[in-house]
Each structure stands twice: as C-alpha cells, then as structure tokens.
Amino acid sequence: DYVAFLGRISPEKRPDRAIAIAQALGIPLKIAAKVDRADAVYFKTQIEPLLDGPGVEFIGEINELQKTQFLGNAKALLFPVDWPEPFGLSMIEAMACGTPVLAFRCGSVPEIVDEGITGAIVETMEQAIAALPGVIALDRKKVRQRFEQRFSATRMAKDYVGVYRSLRESSKSAA
C-alpha cells in the first residue's frame, strides 16, 4: 500500500517532490534509489532530513528481481523529474508491471505516458497532488496492455521486421 520512487537520488530526479506528494495525500512512499558519490552531499543535506517524515521509507539500490516486486506492488510510480529526461526507463518498467505513472512534463515523458491510460502528466506540485488518486485508480490491466502494445520486445521485433521488409522492397524497386 505505497507509491514508489525508483532511480537515482539527484536534484534533477526530484525525490523531494515525490516525498512531498506522498505526504500531502498521506500515502506511504518507498524510495528505491542509489546515491552516486557526486550526489552524496545532496542526499545528506536535502533528502536524508526528509526521510524522518511520516510514511517515507528509503530502501536504497535494488536488483532486477527486487525491482519487479517493488514496482508490481506499488500503487503508482512517482516520476517527478525536473530536467529533459531522455527516456525514463523506470516508467516503462513500472508499466510492464501494470503500475501506472505520475510524471512531470519534462523530456520524453509525453512520449511515454498515455494520459488517462498508463498515468498522468503534470506540470506543478498542485496538479500532481490532485492527479495521484486518479492515477492510482487506473486499470492496471490496461496499463500492462498498453505496455505490450508500445514497448514490448515483441512489438520491437515486429517493427524491425517491417523496416527490413520495406528496405528489401525499396532495393528491389531500385534495381
């Protein structure tokens, strides 16, 4: 019965936002994240003091097996980034588990999250707090289905076959 933050503790990943969102709604938050040496001071001074708050649990870095269980058991993944995220693998990993995503509109987020199907995209903390209950209520089967349609290995393989066939056909036409 928790929401999840997965990734790396750094200013641009904004774990502080995740903590504030969860606490505003009284929903427990579990943070599975590594702390790189470059971000150790940020963690110590900005994030560690917030971990004493109610309902916040810092797990630390987890492996792939633990990640599946961590995301699969979460009500939602909080992805409160504050930088032009190039992809956001943890969003895809959550969706693979049927877990919806609440993400801030930055970088690739609009390309990954399907509003109202796999999660919600917000621009402010107020919007995030208002949107999270709706995200939690999304149909987890539909989240998983959309993952299969858009991001599965099967989908990728079919797309590659289509590209190869197209290239073959265009080379036949050129000859």
Side-chain angles (χ1 to χ4, degrees):
D1 230 26
Y2 62 91
V3 291
F5 176 93
L6 175 67
R8 177 171 53 86
I9 299 291
S10 66
E12 64 272 8
K13 298 289 187 171
R14 297 301 302 262
D16 59 315
R17 281 182 176 171
I19 293 167
I21 293 164
Q23 287 180 334
L25 293 166
I27 300 171
L29 170 69
K30 291 187 181 186
I31 301 172
K34 67 178 185 172
V35 181
D36 290 333
R37 185 176 298 146
D39 295 311
V41 172
Y42 169 75
F43 175 72
K44 191 81 172 156
T45 61
Q46 303 297 313
I47 301 304
E48 200 169 55
L50 300 175
L51 300 178
D52 292 334
V56 181
E57 181 182 352
F58 181 73
I59 297 169
E61 194 168 1
I62 58 177
N63 64 35
E64 292 302 314
L65 181 62
Q66 294 167 317
K67 192 184 300 184
T68 301
Q69 203 169 26
F70 175 74
L71 290 170
N73 290 331
K75 290 180 168 196
L77 173 71
L78 301 182
F79 196 78
V81 295
D82 191 17
W83 76 299
E85 181 73 52
F87 187 70
L89 185 59
S90 62
M91 291 187 288
I92 305 300
E93 292 170 327
M95 290 178 209
C97 297
T99 302
V101 177
L102 173 69
F104 277 67
R105 184 179 305 281
C106 280
S108 66
V109 167
E111 298 170 36
I112 296 172
V113 176
D114 289 321
E115 188 75 37
I117 299 169
T118 62
I121 302 169
V122 299
E123 297 185 24
T124 67
M125 286 294 290
E126 294 77 20
Q127 289 175 354
I129 292 164
L132 185 55
V135 170
I136 290 170
L138 289 173
D139 185 330
R140 294 176 72 98
K141 287 181 183 177
K142 288 182 180 176
V143 173
R144 173 63 189 187
Q145 286 171 345
R146 186 55 62 102
F147 164 81
E148 289 288 334
Q149 292 167 352
R150 296 190 62 214
F151 302 109
S152 68
T154 301
R155 157 76 193 284
M156 184 180 66
K158 286 179 181 178
D159 286 354
Y160 276 125
V161 168
V163 169
Y164 295 146
R165 284 187 178 137
S166 172
L167 290 171
R168 185 181 70 197
E169 292 304 314
S170 65
S171 69
K172 285 180 182 178
S173 299

